Amino acid sequence: MDPVIVVGAGPVGLALALALAHQGVPSVVLDETPGKDVPRPARTVVLHPDAGAMIERLGCATARDEGARWTGWRTLRRKQELHRISLGDGPQGAGRAPLHLPQHALTRGLRAAAAGQDLVQIVTDTKLDSIEQDASGITAHTRGSESTWWRGSYLVGCDGARSTVRKLLDIRFPGRTAVERHAIAALRTELPWPDEALLHRMPPWRGSGEEVTARPLPDGVWRIDWLLPPRGDLVTPDVLVAWVRDTLAGWCGETPPYDLIDTGVYTLHHRLARRWRTGRAFLAGDAAHLLGAIGTQGLQEGLRDAENLAWKLALAWHHGASRTLLDSYQAERRTAVAARLRAADQSLPILRGGGGLRTRLPGSTRGHETLLADGHLGRGPLGAPPGYTRSPLAPASSASETPTGTEPGTPVADVRVTAPDGTTARLSDRLGRGQLLVVLVAPGTGVWDRRHWLKAGLMPRLAAAVTALPVRAEVLVTEGYPGAAAHSVLLVRPDGHLVAAFTGVRPAELYACADAVRGGAPAAAEAPAPQDRTADIN
């Protein structure tokens, strides 16, 4: 079978290639650049816990070595601290803290991980100029030092906001321009809140706008963002330096010593591609969507695209796929991103405007700050991991289902689990392997020798039921799961979303759910959609 062609070697394209490799699928990554990323310390990314865990599973060492996890989040308004959220140790702590690191470090780490994978081939200095589809695969033509044809099973455009793949597929990309503008600076200094991020609204000093954010990086480096008017004057170096000095003085009493490392101004747009799939070609990351206002993270959603698509392409590559399975990528991810964009667009007039709900809801200021914090920290409608409760892969309801603290279609809790070979890990560590997870809630198993509980109680029947499933699955045992009764059995997708939970071992129901997750029996061949055609860009 031909490899998957990934167009674009940014974080999303590299993460997709690595995720495919972890599931035994080869890929060719077409990189238009020479493969060397220019360091830009002021261009950083914030990964919420689910995306940070994915990056670490893919073997990206820079996530650990060059990233920072905040110990707290402070919200100030004028001279008053409204609240502080602890992100330290414990169930509400470090595991929920975002990961903050320079984007060039993330890309470098993903490149290094890909270089160690035999199933990932990166081709630099090559530009896509045409694609053709047929019933058995897809062909891409590139030009660079020489013209080359590439044959693939599927193709994924991860080639950014100006995506060539999107243009070749003739997919519209409507949306809003210049939703927000920010001036940014990366500098090394000491602030009164070491290792804590800060959102300061309406700071009392002059000239720095209505909102300033400070987020720590390792080695005493901070990224500071100043919210600018959507269309305003050019920010000169002198103006930016004055903002740096005034802001540091406002926080510290006087301007402390600082080393200005990097600066920039960036503009955020909100756009959403009309389609994310045409036959064997898909869009992911900035090629499919642009967002980022009021704390949301476009790259965060791009990595979620990669995780969602990787296991579906892996299942299709190894075993064939139904149209339902492949269509579910757009149905799930486009719907989730559209909801995120709607939430951001509905919040913007409230948070940035001078009227609206701000003038009609007494005491609503604290709610505004909480909404912004949610976007930055990965909570609420602006930041929480999406649920796919109306997915075309959702199984029919069953009388044997039992409620848990997790709604079907939403991400599972990251409990500690034990595998039949005796190894223990977090549930998140078992994701991304292209197989379903079947989790038995069995209090007390930790005090038993594994040789005994493997042959006792529900385990023999459960193991037999899992062996009979139409897709690969792994049995795991946990001492407890939030809201689940003893002897509950949870079925979890490869990307960590709950399919269903049952009271005891239900072989027929487990089989039906697993069949629903794969979208039913694979089709004999996946024919190209009617819109497919050869296209060229000169």
Side-chain angles (χ1 to χ4, degrees):
M1 186 114 172
D2 295 314
V4 173
I5 299 172
V6 178
V7 183
V12 174
L14 293 168
L16 176 61
L18 283 166
L20 290 170
H22 280 240
Q23 298 170 60
V25 179
S27 63
V28 175
V29 182
L30 304 180
D31 184 2
E32 189 174 330
T33 76
K36 296 180 180 179
D37 297 283
V38 178
R40 285 296 311 275
R43 188 181 184 189
T44 65
V45 295
V46 178
L47 303 182
H48 298 157
D50 61 315
M54 174 192 176
I55 289 299
E56 292 182 357
R57 284 197 304 270
L58 297 179
C60 179
T62 53
R64 179 185 64 253
D65 300 337
E66 299 185 49
R69 291 195 183 274
W70 311 327
T71 61
W73 174 271
R74 293 176 184 266
T75 301
L76 280 68
R77 185 176 179 85
R78 297 190 174 91
K79 297 181 180 182
Q80 179 186 5
E81 180 175 306
L82 296 183
H83 58 259
R84 178 184 179 276
I85 300 172
S86 176
L87 300 171
D89 296 330
Q92 303 297 319
R96 300 184 63 202
L99 175 68
H100 186 204
L101 73 165
Q103 183 163 322
H104 68 264
L106 173 62
T107 306
R108 185 180 68 247
L110 290 170
R111 281 188 185 274
Q117 280 284 354
D118 294 336
L119 293 177
V120 179
Q121 177 187 2
I122 300 179
V123 185
T124 58
D125 292 309
T126 183
K127 180 174 177 59
L128 178 74
D129 62 9
S130 71
I131 54 178
E132 300 177 11
Q133 300 195 52
D134 54 54
S136 60
I138 189 165
T139 302
H141 183 264
T142 60
R143 51 186 170 84
S145 56
E146 58 182 32
S147 296
T148 307
W149 290 96
W150 303 90
R151 181 66 175 175
S153 53
Y154 299 95
L155 180 145
V156 186
C158 305
D159 49 343
R162 296 180 175 86
S163 171
T164 299
V165 174
R166 191 183 63 243
K167 294 172 184 175
L168 290 173
L169 296 175
D170 194 24
I171 296 175
R172 292 183 59 204
F173 198 40
R176 299 174 57 201
T177 300
V179 176
E180 281 189 351
R181 281 201 317 149
H182 293 258
I184 56 176
L187 52 91
R188 183 174 286 106
T189 190
E190 291 187 12
L191 293 181
W193 314 278
D195 301 323
E196 293 188 354
L198 172 73
L199 170 68
H200 198 160
R201 303 202 74 203
M202 304 299 178
W205 53 90
R206 298 176 59 186
S208 61
E210 69 174 46
E211 184 177 301
V212 185
T213 306
R215 291 171 283 193
L217 289 160
D219 303 322
V221 176
W222 293 80
R223 169 172 163 166
I224 301 180
D225 290 50
W226 294 267
L227 179 65
L228 302 174
R231 293 172 179 82
D233 296 334
L234 180 69
V235 179
T236 66
D238 289 342
V239 168
L240 190 53
V241 169
W243 288 352
V244 169
R245 296 179 61 85
D246 291 345
T247 299
L248 295 181
W251 288 334
C252 303
E254 60 182 7
T255 303
Y258 68 91
D259 179 17
L260 189 59
I261 302 171
D262 189 23
T263 62
V265 174
Y266 69 95
T267 303
L268 295 169
H269 313 286
H270 280 181
R271 296 187 179 277
L272 186 66
R274 291 288 192 191
R275 302 191 313 276
W276 289 26
R277 179 194 178 204
T278 300
R280 291 177 174 268
F282 300 80
L283 300 177
D286 286 355
H289 51 76
L290 294 176
L291 69 163
I294 52 179
T296 58
Q297 291 282 325
L299 177 57
Q300 169 85 27
E301 296 300 336
L303 293 174
R304 288 170 175 159
D305 297 343
E307 185 168 46
N308 185 286
L309 183 58
W311 72 268
K312 296 172 182 177
L313 289 182
L315 189 59
W317 197 89
H318 287 296
H319 305 291
S322 67
R323 185 176 291 277
T324 300
L325 176 69
L326 297 179
D327 283 346
S328 72
Y329 167 66
Q330 172 175 309
E332 292 178 349
R333 289 299 306 143
R334 189 180 185 279
T335 300
V337 174
R340 191 82 77 211
L341 283 169
R342 281 195 301 272
D345 286 343
Q346 291 168 1
S347 301
L348 276 166
I350 303 170
L351 296 170
R352 305 297 190 221
L357 294 182
R358 183 192 300 273
T359 60
R360 293 200 292 266
L361 294 180
S364 63
T365 297
R366 183 177 296 274
H368 298 164
E369 271 67 45
T370 300
L371 184 63
L372 279 168
D374 284 346
H376 286 282
L377 296 176
R379 305 175 179 188
L382 294 179
Y388 308 129
T389 55
R390 298 186 178 181
S391 168
L393 305 183
S397 59
S398 166
S400 302
E401 290 186 44
T402 183
T404 72
T406 302
E407 182 184 2
T410 62
V412 292
D414 193 17
V415 296
R416 183 161 292 280
V417 293
T418 302
D421 63 4
T423 58
T424 61
R426 307 299 302 184
L427 185 55
S428 61
D429 295 333
R430 313 300 291 190
L431 301 177
R433 304 184 184 193
Q435 59 188 5
L436 298 176
L437 302 179
V438 181
V439 184
L440 171 64
V441 181
T445 48
V447 302
W448 289 84
D449 187 287
R450 183 174 57 90
R451 293 173 298 174
H452 300 306
W453 60 257
L454 280 175
K455 299 178 181 179
L458 300 178
M459 282 300 294
R461 288 185 61 221
L462 182 59
V466 169
T467 302
L469 294 180
V471 292
R472 284 192 311 121
E474 178 184 26
V475 178
L476 301 169
V477 178
T478 183
E479 288 270 354
Y481 187 89
H487 307 141
S488 296
V489 175
L490 284 66
L491 185 64
V492 182
R493 294 182 359 167
D495 58 356
H497 290 253
L498 180 67
V499 180
F502 300 99
T503 54
V505 179
R506 307 283 178 169
E509 286 87 343
L510 280 173
Y511 188 99
C513 285
D515 190 52
V517 169
R518 67 170 179 161
E526 183 70 18
Q531 300 96 328
D532 295 348
R533 61 182 182 272
T534 303
D536 294 276
I537 289 183
N538 297 320

